């Protein structure tokens, strides 16, 4: 059953549709990823779902509520972590948590929450003294302090080092294990692939694909690429005559063979038949990153993400 | 519940800023003490002050100084910071309206203004034999109106600025003229007529006069109270209308 339903969302700034007819539904208990270039409309979309922005067209239902009209009830049931938001330098972690807990009808136990998020030793630290990763985890804690059914996390791991990023990923998986539906806005494909059940790719205000990570990769074809150095010279025609092979190229002493289906088996058997050994063999599969770049035509516009 | 928690938290955060605490809370009393001890003739009746002593007159100015520092120097940058940091936006995703955060800030600043005035009055009364306010109720009314009118201006500045620095800049630009009109450099009773008229039209010009008339006289003139009330209501209304939440 969907907990978020967005139908034909439109949001216009200065005459251009920053969001131009986006539709999607998020199911209960899933981790739903939204990826896309800067300025694609990701943040505008989730901020409309959070009720921070009033749509210029389309409808949004979150837990059956209208984010504009039923604002108060929605805020009790949806937790948000906003892009580029921070807290007062002189506030202590404990104070921020107690303060935000006082806003909600059924707050979570903040001690248990910061334990789960690895901040237990930092309750008395001032915000300014936290590392980037700790600030982000506090931000997640505050998004969860109201025991929400849905958590929307916008660019959670931007600016974190790889170790902090990985520990934040584990946190998100734990949140979901606790029964919370998670919407994750990111531009790290590794993150989306690792965490998300489904990913929506947004470009220029429109949905260009919505599928599982594996499904997105499959959409751009199941091409594989073999790179190797033949032990003996080999005529291209031996390879190009194989039905699985689509392309053969020379790179120095190496051959780069592209193909579909069971191309790896086909190539290695024909090589064996000719008594040729494939040295330094490497097989590359298409990744989510390749799929993303293809789906967005490599757009990485410098527009401000709004 | 949430509002009380906001006031408590904002209060704690405010108290941790030593600069704001010193200039907003302690400085007015220190000004009274410093002037009283180090200025010759400061505690003798002066004909140009209608028989009052400089220390009497400056005790009111010191209270006005505290109000102005809190309303125009510490309040606007805090609001600018809340906007820059996205704290107001973040609150909009919670069940608590960001307006309650503003309310909490105003309460914290008002409490500090009251404490600051108590310190200044105590210093004057204890150290320089200044009489306790003769019309305490009118004194309180004058004080409340002075706070309301100056905080309304600070709120208007804070309603628009996008950063703490912009808040300090605009706040200071209003701070010094208002203090001049309050008689910080030239006491009101020695101002030439034209200047006195302008001073009467400013919140702290009227404020200082109303405080002085309540402290040493029979109570404030209606004009001074009305001028402060107009500032508070008109500017407060503008501030609420023009407030930028993002």
């Amino acid at each position: 059953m969907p907990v978020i339903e967005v139908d034909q969302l439109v949001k216009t700034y200065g005459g251009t549709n920053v969001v131009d007819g986006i539709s999607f539904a998020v199911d209960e208990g899933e981790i739903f990823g939204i990826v896309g270039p800067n300025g694609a409309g990701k943040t505008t979309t989730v901020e409309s779902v959070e009720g921070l922005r009033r749509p210029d067209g389309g409808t949004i239902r979150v837990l059956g509520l209208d984010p504009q009209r039923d604002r108060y009830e929605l805020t009790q049931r949806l937790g948000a972590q906003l892009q580029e938001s921070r807290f007062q330098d002189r506030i202590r972690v404990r104070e921020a948590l107690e303060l935000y807990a006082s806003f909600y009808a059924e707050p979570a136990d903040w001690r248990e929450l910061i334990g789960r998020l690895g901040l237990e030793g930092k309750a008395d630290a001032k915000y300014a003294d936290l590392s980037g990763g700790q600030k982000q985890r506090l931000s997640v804690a505050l998004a969860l302090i109201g025991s929400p059914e849905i958590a929307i996390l916008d660019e959670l791991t931007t600016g974190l080092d790889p170790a902090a990023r990985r520990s934040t990923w584990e946190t998100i998986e734990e949140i979901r294990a606790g029964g919370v539906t998670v919407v994750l806005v990111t531009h790290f494909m590794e993150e989306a692939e690792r965490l998300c059940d489904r990913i929506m790719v947004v470009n220029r205000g429109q949905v260009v694909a919505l599928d599982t990570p594996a499904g997105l990769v499959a959409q751009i074809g199941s091409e594989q690429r073999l790179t190797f150095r033949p032990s003996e010279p080999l005529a291209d025609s031996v390879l190009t005559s194989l039905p699985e092979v689509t392309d053969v190229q020379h790179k120095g002493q190496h051959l780069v063979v592209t193909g579909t289906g069971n191309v790896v088996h086909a190539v290695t058997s024909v090589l064996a038949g000719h008594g040729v050994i494939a040295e330094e063999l490497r097989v590359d599969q298409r990744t989510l990153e390749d799929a993303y770049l293809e789906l967005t035509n490599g757009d990485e516009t410098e527009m401000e993400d709004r | 519940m949430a509002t009380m928690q906001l006031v408590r938290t904002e209060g704690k955060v405010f108290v941790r800023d030593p600069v704001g605490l010193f200039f907003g809370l302690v400085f007015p009393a220190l000004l009274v003490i410093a002037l009283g001890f180090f200025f010759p003739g400061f505690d003798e009746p002066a004909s140009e002050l209608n028989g009052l002593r400089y220390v009497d007159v400056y005790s009111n100015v010191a209270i006005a100084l505290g109000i102005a520092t809190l309303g125009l120097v510490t309040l606007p940058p805090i609001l600018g910071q809340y906007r820059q940091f996205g704290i107001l936006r973040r609150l909009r995703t919670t069940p608590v309206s960001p307006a309650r955060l503003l309310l909490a800030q105003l309460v914290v600043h008002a409490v500090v203004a009251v404490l600051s005035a108590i310190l200044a009055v105590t210093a004057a009364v204890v150290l320089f034999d200044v009489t306790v306010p003769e019309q305490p109720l009118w004194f309180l009314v004058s004080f409340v109106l002075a706070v309301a009118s100056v905080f309304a201006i600070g709120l208007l500045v804070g309603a628009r600025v996008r950063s703490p620095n912009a808040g300090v800049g605009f706040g200071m630009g209003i701070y010094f003229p208002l203090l001049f009109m309050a008689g910080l450099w030239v006491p009101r009773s020695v101002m030439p007529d034209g200047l006195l008229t302008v001073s009467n039209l400013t919140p702290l010009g009227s404020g200082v006069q109303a405080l002085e008339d309540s402290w040493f006289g029979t109570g404030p003139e209606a004009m001074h109270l009305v001028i402060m009330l107009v500032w508070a209501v008109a500017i407060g209304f503008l501030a609420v209308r023009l407030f930028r939440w993002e």
Side-chain angles (χ1 to χ4, degrees):
Chain A
M1 196 200 118
V3 288
I4 299 176
E5 289 171 282
V6 174
D7 189 34
Q8 292 297 318
L9 176 67
V10 175
K11 184 72 198 175
T12 307
Y13 287 107
T16 37
N17 288 353
V18 178
V19 173
D20 190 11
I22 283 184
S23 303
F24 62 97
V26 178
D27 288 323
E28 187 174 354
E30 76 174 328
I31 300 182
F32 186 87
I34 302 180
V35 302
N38 290 335
K42 309 184 293 286
T43 294
T44 306
T45 301
V46 292
E47 290 188 349
S48 303
V49 171
E50 289 159 355
L52 283 178
R53 294 176 192 273
R54 183 184 294 277
D56 294 315
T59 56
I60 303 176
R61 284 290 172 277
V62 184
L63 300 163
L65 303 168
D66 177 333
Q68 291 294 321
R69 219 181 42 225
D70 311 315
R71 182 72 168 275
Y72 180 79
E73 198 189 335
L74 181 64
T75 56
Q76 289 280 4
R77 300 171 68 184
L78 181 146
Q81 183 260 333
L82 302 182
Q83 197 186 117
E84 287 170 6
S85 96
R86 39 170 308 165
F87 297 90
Q88 298 97 312
D89 283 340
R90 290 193 174 91
I91 198 167
R92 292 184 199 280
V93 168
R94 169 204 301 275
E95 289 163 356
L97 289 159
E98 284 175 346
L99 177 63
Y100 275 67
S102 76
F103 298 166
Y104 294 94
E106 290 167 40
D109 175 2
W110 63 264
R111 286 179 186 80
E112 192 254 338
L113 205 51
I114 62 172
R116 256 167 65 197
L117 291 168
L119 285 172
E120 57 274 75
K122 291 284 167 190
D124 292 316
K126 288 185 185 155
Y127 185 76
D129 297 332
L130 299 177
S131 71
Q134 289 164 347
K135 283 177 182 164
Q136 288 292 44
R137 274 178 278 155
L138 174 61
S139 180
V140 175
L142 292 172
L144 299 176
I145 194 84
S147 316
E149 291 156 64
I150 301 172
I152 299 185
L153 310 171
D154 193 353
E155 303 228 343
L156 187 61
T157 60
T158 302
L160 296 189
D161 62 45
R165 183 168 297 151
R166 273 167 199 283
S167 80
T168 309
W169 291 351
E170 285 165 21
T171 305
I172 294 170
E173 283 172 338
E174 283 172 27
I175 294 168
R176 190 258 294 271
V180 179
T181 304
V182 179
V183 175
L184 193 68
V185 176
T186 181
H187 46 221
F188 295 110
M189 288 313 125
E190 196 194 348
E191 180 168 303
E193 188 159 27
R194 155 87 189 267
L195 290 174
C196 297
D197 299 308
R198 288 190 305 144
I199 298 170
M200 174 167 81
V201 183
V202 177
N203 194 25
R204 298 172 190 273
Q206 297 184 320
V207 179
V208 292
L210 200 175
D211 209 332
T212 60
L216 286 177
V217 177
Q219 270 189 29
I220 58 160
S222 52
E223 254 181 5
Q224 296 189 51
R225 196 169 58 196
L226 289 80
T227 310
F228 60 91
R229 186 160 57 85
S231 60
E232 315 267 330
L234 183 73
D236 283 2
S237 57
V238 173
L239 297 169
T240 48
S241 62
L242 293 169
E244 292 89 349
V245 171
T246 52
D247 187 42
V248 176
Q249 287 193 359
H250 294 263
K251 262 193 190 162
Q253 295 185 319
H254 289 81
L255 285 176
V256 181
V257 181
T258 316
T260 54
N262 211 346
V263 64
V264 179
H265 178 70
V267 170
T268 47
S269 4
V270 79
L271 289 179
H274 285 74
V276 176
I277 299 165
E279 291 170 345
E280 297 167 22
L281 173 66
R282 220 179 70 204
V283 180
D284 292 318
Q285 283 189 320
R286 305 295 297 268
T287 62
L288 185 63
E289 186 117 18
D290 296 320
Y292 169 76
L293 289 173
E294 194 152 308
L295 288 163
T296 58
N297 305 315
D299 276 4
E300 203 54 65
T301 46
E302 289 304 308
M303 247 171 79
E304 184 78 347
D305 204 347
R306 34 201 324 183
Chain B
M1 184 60 216
T3 307
M4 277 312 299
Q5 191 77 30
L6 273 166
V7 171
R8 265 212 300 276
T9 310
E10 295 305 312
K12 283 184 193 166
V13 173
F14 183 91
V15 167
R16 283 180 200 144
D17 174 14
V19 177
L21 202 61
F22 176 76
F23 284 100
L25 181 64
V26 189
F27 192 69
L30 288 182
L31 181 75
V32 172
I33 295 169
L35 290 176
F37 277 131
F38 301 119
F39 273 70
F42 209 76
D43 55 355
E44 283 154 28
S47 56
E48 69 270 27
L49 301 178
N50 310 321
L52 290 174
R53 303 172 303 164
Y54 272 92
V55 70
D56 299 333
V57 171
Y58 268 92
S59 298
N60 295 296
V61 176
I63 292 171
L65 174 73
I67 296 173
T69 303
L70 290 164
L72 298 169
V73 182
T74 72
L75 183 63
I78 290 177
L79 301 185
Q81 185 185 58
Y82 285 175
R83 189 167 296 108
Q84 188 183 45
F85 283 3
I87 291 172
L88 297 170
R89 256 169 88 68
R90 177 65 182 80
L91 272 185
R92 288 180 61 209
T93 68
T94 74
V96 166
S97 151
R100 284 215 247 168
L101 179 65
L102 298 190
L103 183 69
Q105 269 308 332
L106 290 173
V107 169
V108 168
H109 277 77
V111 167
V112 179
V114 169
L115 295 176
S116 162
I118 290 175
L119 284 180
V121 171
T122 307
V125 171
V126 172
L127 297 174
F128 305 107
D129 287 330
V130 177
T131 163
V132 286
E134 285 171 17
Q135 309 289 335
L137 216 59
W138 282 120
F139 187 79
L140 191 65
V141 169
S142 307
F143 177 78
V144 167
L145 282 173
V147 168
S149 56
V150 172
F151 281 20
I153 298 173
L155 191 63
L156 178 61
V157 175
R160 301 301 290 175
V161 290
R162 293 178 191 275
S163 71
N165 287 343
V168 171
F170 283 102
M172 287 287 193
I174 302 170
Y175 181 67
F176 289 111
L178 281 196
L179 284 177
F180 179 80
M181 291 301 172
L184 182 61
W185 290 277
V186 184
R188 277 172 48 85
S189 44
V190 296
M191 282 182 184
D193 280 353
L195 189 58
L196 190 64
T197 308
V198 178
S199 168
N200 279 336
L201 292 174
T202 66
L204 286 180
S206 270
V208 163
Q209 194 60 54
L211 286 170
E212 188 181 306
D213 293 343
S214 310
W215 199 335
F216 305 108
T218 52
E221 289 173 39
M223 173 189 82
H224 294 305
L225 299 182
V226 169
I227 285 171
M228 287 191 282
L229 188 66
V230 168
W231 276 95
V233 171
I235 302 296
F237 176 77
L238 258 187
V240 170
R241 286 300 299 269
L242 296 177
F243 204 90
R244 242 201 283 256
W245 294 110
E246 306 228 337

